[in-house]
Amino acid sequence: MSREPNPARRRESSRRAILTATGELCGEIGYGRLTIEAIAARAGASKKTIYRWWPSKGAVVLELLDEIATVAAAPPDTGDLAADLHSMLSEVISLLTPPHNSPGTGVIAEALQDPHLARDLRERIIRPRIATFKERLRRAQDAGQLHPDADLDVALDLLYGPLYHRMALHLGMPDPAYLHSLITHVLRALTPPTSSAPH
């Protein structure tokens, strides 16, 4: 007795093929040259199927980014704040490298011209990860690793701002030594002063 095909499984298989094709093509030809037609051909899907699930190539890439940005979505908590920040920042660097064909930089650039994509990028990718970043820093505050009055919005800008500054001005992503120095300097500014030893 033959089983009826499972529509949900078939849809998920097609979705996965489309996202895989999107990632491969971004790496090969870059976001700017990416088209729905190329994605459909690589994935073995129809354009109609893609447009039924996503309104644009930007939306497809946004879903791809949401899936691969696992560390930022669930930040590590090893007890070593500097190491955990290094993991989170390293993932962002990987999403923005290399700039000429990174799906991350492509979506960010297109979002500057597309308010709907910008909203989705902000609500789906950025804000949830800002929330988890702040949660990690609040735990560090509770543990006495950060000053209790440290402004977490400023901490966010101090740590992530240089990455986007370097991306926008084509200065190259930080190497491991620079990233270590960045984290060290920011934490130094946010760490409560050590009490003087008694005489």
Side-chain angles (χ1 to χ4, degrees):
M1 180 178 175
S2 62
R3 294 183 176 180
E4 291 292 325
N6 186 327
R9 182 178 300 171
R10 187 164 50 197
R11 283 194 298 271
E12 177 58 19
S13 175
S14 181
R15 190 184 76 90
R16 290 251 49 91
I18 291 166
L19 293 180
T20 298
T22 301
E24 292 173 352
L25 289 167
C26 279
E28 294 169 14
I29 63 176
Y31 181 91
R33 295 172 59 194
L34 182 70
T35 63
I36 293 295
E37 289 82 1
I39 295 171
R42 176 67 64 91
S46 69
K47 289 171 55 179
K48 182 178 179 181
T49 295
I50 295 175
Y51 279 119
R52 186 163 62 241
W53 294 336
W54 298 281
S56 66
K57 73 172 185 180
V60 182
V61 174
L62 190 63
E63 183 156 340
L64 174 66
L65 291 174
D66 198 20
E67 291 204 349
I68 62 180
T70 55
V71 174
D77 190 350
T78 63
D80 183 337
L81 180 59
D84 294 344
L85 290 173
H86 194 281
S87 294
M88 288 187 276
L89 293 172
S90 293
E91 184 185 65
V92 174
I93 290 171
S94 72
L95 293 175
L96 300 177
T97 307
H100 65 278
N101 63 356
S102 160
T105 57
V107 166
I108 290 169
E110 186 161 329
L112 294 174
Q113 308 297 326
D114 183 340
H116 297 291
L117 182 61
R119 180 200 60 213
D120 290 343
L121 175 63
R122 183 174 60 250
E123 298 301 324
R124 185 168 182 174
I125 303 289
I126 305 301
R127 282 187 173 167
R129 286 161 176 80
I130 288 176
T132 54
F133 168 84
K134 288 184 177 180
E135 180 184 338
R136 177 65 187 91
L137 264 60
R138 286 191 192 98
R139 290 199 295 269
Q141 284 181 314
D142 292 341
Q145 297 172 321
L146 294 181
H147 196 285
D149 294 331
D151 188 319
L152 302 188
D153 288 314
V154 171
L156 175 76
D157 288 344
L158 289 173
L159 286 164
Y160 285 91
L163 307 186
Y164 294 101
H165 164 76
R166 295 178 73 87
M167 177 201 73
L169 299 182
H170 304 281
L171 298 174
M173 285 292 104
D175 60 21
Y178 179 93
L179 186 58
H180 174 77
S181 180
L182 171 65
I183 293 169
T184 298
H185 279 77
V186 172
L187 290 184
R188 187 179 298 158
L190 300 174
T191 301
T194 304
S195 300
S196 301
H199 296 291

